[in-house]
Amino acid sequence: PPILAEVENPYAVYVAGDSMEPRYFEGEVVYVDPERNAVRGDFVIAQIYIDKNSPPHAFVKRLVKYTTEELVLEQLNPAKKLTFTGEQLNELKLHVVVASSLQ
């Protein structure tokens, strides 16, 4: 999309699951700006290492809070907050969703 025309290394992902409905639907494509700083309320792709022996998990969620000690994300369906702490925040990548295939 035009919003990413000047962005270095933008990417897109397919949404899996229904945890972000009615905002994002399964199979929808979301477009991501990896350079933009995420702020509270942004929809983000969070790449998190759940444990150090596995590849990162990627979540499409809304950013509630991010500090050096804690990351809190929100899903919509069912309404729920997810909290990550400690080693899970090592190598965390938090990228802003800027558009989707249904917008």
Side-chain angles (χ1 to χ4, degrees), residues 21-57:
E21 289 182 10
R23 181 68 171 96
Y24 299 114
F25 294 88
E26 183 165 18
E28 184 173 355
V29 177
V30 292
Y31 299 93
V32 182
D33 181 344
E35 296 176 358
R36 185 180 291 195
N37 289 327
V39 297
R40 194 180 89 131
D42 280 344
F43 290 93
V44 296
I45 301 290
Q47 296 176 28
I48 299 170
Y49 286 87
I50 302 301
D51 67 68
K52 56 186 167 188
N53 297 320
S54 300
H57 287 71

Side-chain angles (χ1 to χ4, degrees), residues 1-2 4 21 23 25 32 47 56 62 71 85 88 95 101:
L4 293 172
E21 289 182 10
R23 181 68 171 96
F25 294 88
V32 182
Q47 296 176 28
R62 179 181 281 162
L71 171 68
T85 59
Q88 294 174 319
H95 298 155
S101 59

